[in-house]
Amino acid sequence: IANVPVGDTFQTLVVALSEYETTFAAAKFILMDSSGNTVYDSPWQRGATSSDVLLAPWVLVQNRTPERRMADIDRIRVWQRRA
């Protein structure tokens, strides 16, 4: 990914799951800049999870160096379509 996070800059990160078959889901990742423009849109990854796995959203911030790490998360949205 050519665009990396920059301090004091808003970004939108999306993880999308889509039913691929009746038992498997495909997943993709989308990165948007502060203007809402898509910077990166991965291809769908088949078999990312299965229908019998319970999923829960979580957020992790990790540095590659021992410096301080902090994330200011303004909003987390999670939704699903009803069957």
Side-chain angles (χ1 to χ4, degrees), residues 50-73:
S50 62
S51 60
D52 61 348
V53 174
L54 299 175
L55 299 175
W58 58 274
V59 176
L60 169 73
V61 177
Q62 182 175 355
N63 256 356
R64 295 181 182 180
T65 65
E67 296 174 13
R68 183 177 138 187
R69 49 189 155 183
M70 184 180 93
D72 182 3
I73 300 170

Side-chain angles (χ1 to χ4, degrees), residues 5-83:
V6 177
D8 296 324
T9 303
F10 285 98
Q11 288 184 313
T12 300
L13 302 115
V14 177
V15 176
L17 298 175
S18 177
E19 185 177 35
Y20 186 80
E21 298 170 353
T22 57
T23 56
F24 291 98
K28 74 182 314 181
F29 171 70
I30 302 166
L31 171 64
M32 292 181 239
D33 64 16
S34 59
S35 299
N37 299 313
T38 299
V39 175
Y40 179 78
D41 189 347
S42 77
W44 285 101
Q45 305 293 316
R46 182 181 172 186
T49 187
S50 62
S51 60
D52 61 348
V53 174
L54 299 175
L55 299 175
W58 58 274
V59 176
L60 169 73
V61 177
Q62 182 175 355
N63 256 356
R64 295 181 182 180
T65 65
E67 296 174 13
R68 183 177 138 187
R69 49 189 155 183
M70 184 180 93
D72 182 3
I73 300 170
D74 292 320
R75 175 177 44 225
I76 296 176
R77 296 188 326 187
V78 179
W79 69 92
Q80 70 181 35
R81 294 183 182 167
R82 295 182 183 215

